[in-house]
Amino acid sequence: MPEKLQKKYGPDHGEDGIHSIQKVIEPPKGSTKHITRNILIGISALFLLVMLILPLAVVVVNALKEGWAAYSAALLDEYTGKALQLTLLATAAAILVNTVFGIFAAYLLSKFYFRGRELVATLIDIPFSISPVIAGLVFILTFGSVGWMGDFLTAHNIRIVFAVPGILLATIFVTFPFVFRELFPVMNAQGKDEEEAAGLMGAGGFTIFRRITFPHIKWALLYGIILCSARAMGEFGAVSVISGHLRGKTNTLPLHVEILYNEFNTTAAFAVSSILVILAALILIARNLVEWKTK
Amino acid sequence: MYVEMQHIHKTFDGFRASNDVSFGVEKGHLAALLGPSGSGKTTILRMIAGLDMPDSGEILLNGVRVNELPGSKRGIGFVFQNYALFRYMTVAENIAFGLEVQKKGKKEIKERVDELLELISMKELGKRYPNQLSGGQKQRVAFARALAPNPQLLLLDEPFAAIDAKVRRELRAWLKEMIEQVGITSIFVTHDQEEAMEVADTIIITNQGRIEQIGTPEDICREPQTDFVADFIDCRRFQLLMAIK
Ligand SMILES: Nc1ncnc2c1ncn2[C@@H]1O[C@H](COP(=O)(O)OP(=O)(O)OP(=O)(O)O)[C@@H](O)[C@H]1O
Ligand SMILES: [Mg+2]
């Protein structure tokens, strides 16, 4: 019996008769901390209710206010379908580009040492610190008809601003750092010993990545992709600036919601919003699955 | 394999990690690179393995200059300081990796893996993952993995550093025996002089990127060539050791 206890609680590091884990997980009896704890829980619950649960409930209630028929009509509307398609396309583009780029960048910055590493890492974070609206404006100033690439693009009949390519670019831009940010710490902590060991045995770059690096980063990668998709689907600011709001052409779901709302078409606006809520819920479930899996 | 380093220099961002390093290790010998922390031991080992390039000087293996030869073509087995076992592969897969990369046949790989598992007395543990092994077991797997492709030179970076003192002694004796049994030229890094004295045929003493002295344990105790060596090496312990032997 004493042996069992010893195992469960680990060694008595402090040599004060209290085993290490016990110190952490079992608070002293009759603690007055109960009140503090309950107040904190209460405040948190209230905060969550007002800030998260109530607004989401409002979306659902308003969406269904005029009955199921109105709700499904709003969802089956042609422009809603187009907007959903564009949102999914932009999300897919963001995932594809940022996954490839994120893996390359994280691999480069964690496995090789060169001057300016920190600078590159900081640059990658720019989309997080810059306002999305400004990001959109930057694209207009670069690729728009008045922009410095404008003449070239017009001459070759390429449309970026107020067109689908602009939407894709803006979405990719704002979701740029997610995958990198999830991968970098994991790859950095792994060090490069295993890769070097494999390299010394004659393995090529791709084999090393597939058999050594990838198994180590796959959950972090998936997590980064999930965060990236969540942000890509919800992006409003940058996309709004560059879209031009052409219905059925350059409207994403969030933009479509805004247009409907501004037309006092509240029910439809909330109905379309509910698609985003459902997508968000799916992403949240996926995220929790990944978190649970990596524990 | 006969190893020779000639006038090797290596700097990292202006810091001299190797300063005119020259030494040779004869075929079949077991040499120890001994020196205080930061004295450039790992740097020397990594240059022999081709993981780092010297700024100047020559690295000769069996008399052939290999400076430009990639590490994977030098016929070297490397045991990393923290073993660097592939954590998502089983023990058997770890040992098989080098052979798979060389596109050896399935049957040949299996035979070699079984043979090595037997050598390190871990026949039953082939299906375990590295995190299910003790420190000493990991060390043995790292050793087997390095030996699998039949290298001619074995390099070991602080092979016992992560193992507690009691197991260390046993493992040290085991490793010496294994190396003798396989008959492979080996160089190992350590900052523990007792370890170097007990295991190595030749000791190479490093300090601040330079080689202070090269010789057998007896030579070094009898005639320390520099003040640093005289100060660094504690020969009372060694003499005691010899007396016990
Ligand atoms: N990649 C690197 N970049 C910069 N400096 C380095 C690099 N590798 C080694 N050094 C420096 O070179 C010196 C020698 O390092 P080395 O790792 O060879 O020492 P060591 O003798 O193996 O030490 P230890 O016993 O602590 O492992 C150290 O001062 C270290 O800081
Ligand atoms: Mg070292």
Side-chain angles (χ1 to χ4, degrees):
Chain A
M1 186 62 190
E3 263 171 42
K4 238 185 182 170
L5 266 180
Q6 196 74 26
K7 257 203 183 120
K8 199 167 161 198
Y9 290 125
D12 177 10
H13 289 302
E15 293 183 339
D16 50 7
I18 306 174
H19 293 282
S20 51
I21 293 179
Q22 226 173 354
K23 283 181 194 165
V24 186
I25 59 169
E26 289 171 25
K29 293 243 162 63
S31 149
T32 51
K33 296 254 167 68
H34 269 345
I35 305 164
T36 324
R37 191 193 66 184
N38 289 344
I39 290 176
L40 284 177
I41 291 178
I43 293 176
S44 309
L46 195 68
F47 186 80
L48 284 178
L49 187 72
V50 174
M51 296 298 293
L52 286 174
I53 299 173
L54 226 53
L56 287 182
V58 168
V59 170
V60 176
V61 168
N62 275 307
L64 294 169
K65 199 164 59 184
E66 288 175 31
W68 185 253
Y71 179 75
S72 55
L75 290 194
L76 293 175
D77 180 72
E78 184 199 344
Y79 291 129
T80 307
K82 286 263 171 67
L84 177 61
Q85 272 176 21
L86 185 56
T87 290
L88 292 181
L89 178 69
T91 306
I95 291 175
L96 189 74
V97 172
N98 291 332
T99 301
V100 172
F101 166 80
I103 291 175
F104 272 114
Y107 199 77
L108 177 71
L109 292 183
S110 60
K111 310 287 178 194
F112 299 94
Y113 293 88
F114 56 91
R115 236 165 266 216
R117 268 170 90 231
E118 287 85 4
L119 185 70
V120 176
T122 315
L123 285 179
I124 292 173
D125 265 351
I126 283 183
F128 275 177
S129 46
I130 209 171
S131 156
V133 175
I134 296 178
L137 279 176
V138 167
F139 278 113
I140 288 192
L141 291 178
T142 313
F143 301 116
S145 53
V146 292
W148 60 267
M149 276 182 75
D151 292 340
F152 174 82
L153 293 174
T154 328
H156 291 80
N157 216 2
I158 304 170
R159 289 191 57 97
I160 291 180
V161 170
F162 306 140
V164 173
I167 306 270
L168 302 189
L169 276 181
T171 310
I172 290 168
F173 179 85
V174 295
T175 55
F176 202 50
F178 282 104
V179 173
F180 170 79
R181 278 215 157 191
E182 290 303 316
L183 290 186
F184 180 69
V186 177
M187 284 175 142
N188 212 19
Q190 186 192 19
K192 51 181 185 170
D193 285 1
E194 286 177 51
E195 275 91 355
E196 280 184 345
L200 270 185
M201 292 183 215
F206 183 67
T207 308
I208 294 178
F209 179 78
R210 188 173 59 87
R211 296 204 49 195
I212 315 287
T213 315
F214 183 73
H216 190 68
I217 61 167
K218 62 182 175 197
W219 292 110
L221 180 65
L222 193 56
Y223 194 72
I225 289 175
I226 287 170
L227 292 180
C228 174
S229 0
R231 182 81 162 83
M233 284 176 188
E235 174 53 22
F236 180 81
V239 167
S240 171
V241 173
I242 209 166
S243 135
H245 302 273
L246 307 172
R247 256 196 211 199
K249 286 217 176 84
T250 61
N251 256 0
T252 61
L253 274 185
L255 298 183
H256 192 50
V257 170
E258 196 212 12
I259 291 180
L260 290 173
Y261 187 77
N262 286 343
E263 289 170 346
F264 301 105
N265 200 344
T266 324
T267 309
F270 279 110
V272 175
S273 301
S274 72
I275 302 179
L276 284 169
V277 171
I278 291 167
L279 288 177
L282 289 179
I283 286 175
L284 207 64
I285 292 170
R287 209 194 75 167
N288 277 318
L289 280 179
V290 171
E291 273 179 0
W292 170 76
K293 186 79 199 175
T294 48
K295 277 241 171 78
Chain B
M1 186 184 275
Y2 174 58
V3 183
E4 201 173 352
M5 304 285 273
Q6 291 177 351
H7 307 292
I8 297 285
H9 290 265
K10 173 75 183 174
T11 56
F12 290 110
D13 300 325
F15 180 86
R16 289 188 154 224
S18 292
N19 188 357
D20 198 21
V21 167
S22 302
F23 66 83
V25 177
E26 272 167 57
K27 190 170 154 64
H29 270 220
L30 173 53
L33 278 164
L34 172 67
S37 186
S39 61
K41 306 180 295 288
T42 298
T43 306
I44 292 173
L45 215 60
R46 288 176 61 88
M47 287 190 294
I48 300 175
L51 291 169
D52 279 327
M53 293 287 277
D55 299 337
S56 64
E58 315 246 295
I59 303 169
L60 306 175
L61 297 180
N62 282 338
V64 180
R65 180 187 148 102
V66 296
N67 288 40
E68 278 74 39
L69 198 67
S72 56
K73 302 230 158 68
R74 293 186 188 180
I76 283 171
F78 200 106
V79 176
F80 284 79
Q81 188 155 353
N82 296 307
Y83 318 126
L85 294 178
F86 306 135
R87 66 188 94 178
Y88 294 96
M89 296 183 205
T90 62
V91 167
E93 286 166 349
N94 262 280
I95 298 174
F97 186 85
L99 301 166
E100 278 169 15
V101 166
Q102 289 180 1
K103 304 246 173 344
K104 290 266 163 39
K106 274 224 167 70
K107 195 163 150 269
E108 190 186 338
I109 294 180
K110 197 183 171 314
E111 280 170 11
R112 180 77 178 136
V113 170
D114 287 345
E115 181 190 335
L116 283 162
L117 281 174
E118 183 122 11
L119 183 77
I120 61 172
S121 331
M122 284 179 59
K123 247 190 148 178
E124 279 72 47
L125 305 182
K127 290 212 167 61
R128 291 244 189 128
Y129 283 88
N131 65 2
Q132 299 168 314
L133 301 177
S134 72
Q137 289 169 333
K138 282 184 197 163
Q139 154 82 65
R140 275 154 37 198
V141 174
F143 176 75
R145 184 180 71 174
L147 283 185
N150 276 317
Q152 296 181 55
L153 173 66
L154 187 62
L155 304 174
L156 309 103
D157 193 358
E158 307 248 5
F160 313 107
I163 293 167
D164 57 83
K166 226 198 281 170
V167 189
R168 227 162 144 155
R169 271 168 195 276
E170 288 170 35
L171 215 59
R172 190 146 96 188
W174 177 84
L175 190 73
K176 187 171 166 65
E177 202 187 303
M178 282 297 128
I179 288 175
E180 272 164 12
Q181 192 179 326
V182 181
I184 185 172
T185 314
S186 306
I187 304 176
F188 80 101
V189 162
T190 180
H191 55 245
D192 178 345
Q193 48 176 298
E194 195 182 315
E195 198 165 289
M197 298 273 180
E198 230 181 277
V199 178
D201 304 317
T202 313
I203 298 180
I204 302 159
I205 298 181
T206 59
N207 179 34
Q208 296 182 347
R210 281 185 322 268
I211 304 284
E212 295 277 343
Q213 187 169 356
I214 305 170
T216 61
E218 290 87 348
D219 287 345
I220 286 171
C221 274
R222 207 173 303 132
E223 303 177 43
Q225 279 168 11
T226 63
D227 291 346
F228 171 80
V229 176
D231 201 41
F232 180 66
I233 299 285
D234 179 5
C235 277
R236 278 171 309 179
R237 270 159 79 198
F238 177 66
Q239 275 149 7
L240 209 69
L241 219 78
M242 294 312 283
I244 293 169
K245 269 186 185 170

